Amino acid sequence: MTIEAQQKESGSLPADRLQPRLRPAPAPEIAPPETRVSQTPAAHMRRMAPAEFNTAMIHFYRGEVQRSNTWRNRLDTTTNWAVLTAGATLSFVFSSPTNPHFVIPINSILVAIFLLMEARRYRYYEIWSSRVRIIETGYFAQMLAPEGVPPDEAWAEHLASDLITPHFTITEWEAVGRRLRRNYLWIFALLALSWNLKVYLHPVPAHDFSTFIDRATVGVVPGWFVFVVGVLFNAAIAIFAIGTLRLREATGEVLPQHQFSLRPLRTMTRWTRGATGAARTTARVKRARQRVRSGAATGEFKKIDISETPERRKQESEVRSQNTEFRSQN
């Protein structure tokens, strides 16, 4: 038995020796700057698992589809207003021979206002619709494409830039032209034809063109002036509809990539080519955004590029200054 054990049994061991000995706590380790930076919330989000990323993309896709559907319904609402007012106007005009014919030109002006309203809503619809199209061609199509197809990453960069600084993807001219050709051109044509029928038929059919012009008189405005204004108005609408045919920057429209046929092999080949066309769709979106930004008539603000941060611009300016000093010394 040791001396310390004998002293412990006899009670002669000092009180401070009877307390258990504790090991000193280790000094806290200071994490390097790289480790502290990697623990930020943004770093955690970038290191998410594939399942978490897929879940986030699915919810994001559903949200963008809901947004596009909401604005698509607003487009239908404006079209319904134009159709209802045109129908009510024609019913009133043809219900009695004594009802005035100038109600139809007034309704044409009202339909033109509806067209401008729908074109504005169509521009907002294209924002969400273009995002849905980019996700479909860049994310879902890459999941369904064969293994040998190289992945496309430009869609993600463009989508992140669009989320930071949303921007219209089409101009006002293209929006008005598309809605005019799709719906309103036929309404204007119906109103013009109805006005001519009203002036010609009521109260009795006109036997010559001079009688037709006399019936077109509205108050102190002569009939020939009303007729000429109507011809110029409808001609301008037709010219505008034809002149905007070449404006094809709307990315949310159905693109001619999937041309299915009854032959299975050709169908699968064309389908895979269409599924891997995300780069073309992304490039189309970028061209549309650049075109809208460069147009002075749109009045939009310039989009901020996600890669053009202040730190990066400062570094580029420093590199250029160093290169200039080096060239001057040599």
Side-chain angles (χ1 to χ4, degrees):
M1 183 179 295
T2 61
I3 299 175
E4 184 177 356
Q6 294 176 359
Q7 292 178 355
K8 188 175 181 180
E9 290 181 357
S10 60
S12 60
L13 191 66
D16 57 348
R17 297 291 300 275
L18 293 175
Q19 300 295 331
R21 296 182 179 180
L22 301 178
R23 295 182 179 179
E29 297 181 359
I30 301 176
E34 295 80 3
T35 307
R36 291 199 300 268
V37 172
S38 63
Q39 298 300 324
T40 59
H44 282 294
M45 287 189 296
R46 292 184 179 276
R47 293 202 310 268
M48 65 174 60
E52 298 174 347
F53 177 78
N54 294 334
T55 303
M57 288 300 300
I58 290 172
H59 285 288
F60 176 66
Y61 176 74
R62 293 177 61 185
E64 296 303 312
V65 169
Q66 180 64 29
R67 281 179 169 179
S68 62
N69 288 336
T70 301
W71 283 93
R72 187 68 181 87
N73 294 332
R74 298 191 69 184
L75 295 179
D76 296 337
T77 301
T78 316
T79 305
N80 293 337
W81 292 347
V83 173
L84 290 176
T85 54
T89 300
L90 297 181
S91 299
F92 169 76
V93 168
F94 286 98
S95 62
S96 176
T98 59
N99 290 338
H101 60 82
F102 59 83
V103 181
I104 297 179
I106 294 176
N107 183 249
S108 299
I109 299 175
L110 183 61
V111 172
I113 296 175
F114 288 151
L115 172 60
L116 297 178
M117 293 173 58
E118 186 165 333
R120 177 181 175 274
R121 294 180 178 184
Y122 184 72
R123 297 186 75 194
Y124 280 98
Y125 161 75
E126 270 294 321
I127 297 176
W128 324 120
S129 182
S130 62
R131 291 181 184 177
V132 170
R133 186 59 180 167
I134 289 297
I135 296 174
E136 290 176 349
T137 57
Y139 179 70
F140 291 106
Q142 293 295 328
M143 295 174 60
L144 301 175
E147 295 293 338
V149 177
D152 178 70
E153 298 179 356
W155 69 273
E157 180 181 355
H158 169 76
L159 193 59
S161 177
D162 188 66
L163 289 174
I164 294 175
T165 56
H167 205 86
F168 290 118
T169 58
I170 59 174
T171 60
E172 296 178 0
W173 296 102
E174 182 178 0
V176 175
R178 282 185 175 273
R179 303 317 297 170
L180 176 62
R181 290 189 300 272
R182 299 293 173 84
N183 298 323
Y184 287 83
L185 185 62
W186 315 110
I187 300 177
F188 284 119
L190 177 62
L191 292 175
L193 180 61
S194 300
W195 181 84
N196 286 275
L197 288 176
K198 171 65 179 178
V199 176
Y200 173 76
L201 293 176
H202 291 169
V204 292
H207 57 277
D208 56 2
F209 187 71
S210 60
T211 306
F212 178 85
I213 294 298
D214 292 338
R215 291 180 181 178
T217 303
V218 179
V220 296
V221 181
W224 65 267
F225 183 80
V226 176
F227 181 78
V228 170
V229 170
V231 171
L232 294 177
F233 177 78
N234 290 277
I237 290 176
I239 293 173
F240 186 85
I242 297 174
T244 54
L245 277 172
R246 301 183 62 182
L247 301 179
R248 297 180 176 272
E249 299 297 337
T251 57
E253 297 292 328
V254 179
L255 304 181
Q257 292 183 356
H258 310 285
Q259 300 177 358
F260 296 97
S261 61
L262 298 178
R263 283 166 281 190
L265 294 180
R266 283 192 174 184
T267 300
M268 182 56 66
T269 303
R270 294 176 180 178
W271 180 83
T272 52
R273 290 178 181 176
T276 56
R280 289 179 293 176
T281 305
T282 306
R284 186 175 183 178
V285 176
K286 291 182 177 180
R287 289 199 307 270
R289 293 166 65 87
Q290 293 174 359
R291 181 176 178 180
V292 174
R293 292 198 305 268
S294 60
T298 58
E300 302 296 338
F301 292 100
K302 184 178 179 181
K303 171 182 167 296
I304 302 176
D305 192 358
I306 188 175
S307 60
E308 295 181 357
T309 58
E311 292 80 8
R312 183 170 180 177
R313 290 196 295 267
K314 183 178 180 180
Q315 293 177 0
E316 292 178 355
S317 61
E318 291 178 355
V319 171
R320 286 195 297 267
S321 61
Q322 292 178 0
N323 294 336
T324 304
E325 294 177 357
F326 179 76
R327 292 176 181 175
S328 61
Q329 293 176 0
N330 294 337

